[in-house]
Amino acid sequence: AVAGALVFVNIAALARERRPPMAALVAVWFAETAALFFGNFVEGWSRFRFLIAAGVLLVPQAGMLLAAMGRRLHLSQLHAVYRFLSTWCSFCSACYCLVYFFSEVVVLFNTETEIIAYALLDGCVIGISSLVVTCAGPEVQVGLLPAQEAELSLYPGPHRHGFYPNPDYYDDNL
């Protein structure tokens, strides 16, 4: 769960999101994995209720990744990388629910197969996302995104110091 949360933090950082959406994304991820974890402690069809809870939590997670986050990346070089990573992580999150369904609800997988499936999913989430960010190369280190430039145009003065307006401009030029 912690490694998956770090993947989501990296994706949110790639999208240049602020801390509240990033914290909400990680909280939803922890709630989803907790629902699957605590579903192991009940018997019978009560496990299906925990699966439904985890599935319902997929909707806000995918909504945050695919719709709410990443607006700043529109028309930037990072847009394709972010869209792939957010879609990939949403797909892998749904696969966690599928493995849980096949192993705990309908008992199609035995314990060894379940462990192998979860290890494969962990490798896919962490490995593929790390590989994509690594292969993105210098595109990941883009200076200002088009949306950030639009935000900066609201402030007068030269903007040579990154995202924030230059406070020295107001003292010297007014």
Side-chain angles (χ1 to χ4, degrees):
V2 173
L6 290 176
V7 168
F8 285 118
V9 166
N10 285 334
I11 292 173
L14 180 72
R16 310 272 169 62
E17 284 296 328
R18 295 178 179 93
R19 287 189 184 132
M22 189 182 307
L25 182 64
V26 170
V28 169
W29 169 252
F30 277 132
E32 177 189 346
T33 55
L36 294 177
F37 175 73
F38 289 122
N40 291 322
F41 295 119
V42 295
E43 295 296 327
W45 284 98
S46 296
R47 291 182 176 188
F48 190 69
R49 292 182 187 138
F50 282 93
L51 177 65
I52 295 296
V56 167
L57 288 169
L58 282 173
V59 175
Q61 175 187 334
M64 278 189 276
L65 282 173
L66 297 171
M69 291 182 151
R71 286 184 300 238
R72 292 181 178 192
L73 297 177
H74 188 65
L75 300 176
S76 74
Q77 298 169 345
L78 295 174
H79 189 76
V81 174
Y82 174 78
R83 284 293 178 195
F84 173 77
L85 285 175
S86 59
T87 305
W88 177 253
C89 287
S90 297
F91 173 74
C92 288
S93 296
C95 286
Y96 278 107
C97 292
L98 281 175
V99 169
Y100 180 83
F101 175 74
F102 288 131
S103 62
E104 300 296 333
V105 177
V106 295
V107 193
L108 186 65
F109 293 164
N110 60 11
T111 304
E112 292 84 13
T113 308
E114 178 185 7
I115 291 171
I116 290 171
Y118 281 132
L120 182 65
L121 276 174
D122 289 341
C124 286
V125 169
I126 297 166
I128 298 296
S129 63
S130 300
L131 184 67
V132 167
V133 170
T134 302
C135 291
E139 292 178 0
V140 176
Q141 300 299 328
V142 172
L144 291 176
L145 300 172
Q148 289 174 321
E149 289 176 2
E151 286 179 14
L152 281 176
S153 68
L154 300 174
Y155 302 103
H159 305 290
R160 296 185 212 115
H161 300 290
F163 177 71
Y164 301 101
N166 184 0
D168 297 329
Y169 175 82
Y170 303 106
D171 295 332
D172 299 337
N173 297 317
L174 291 179

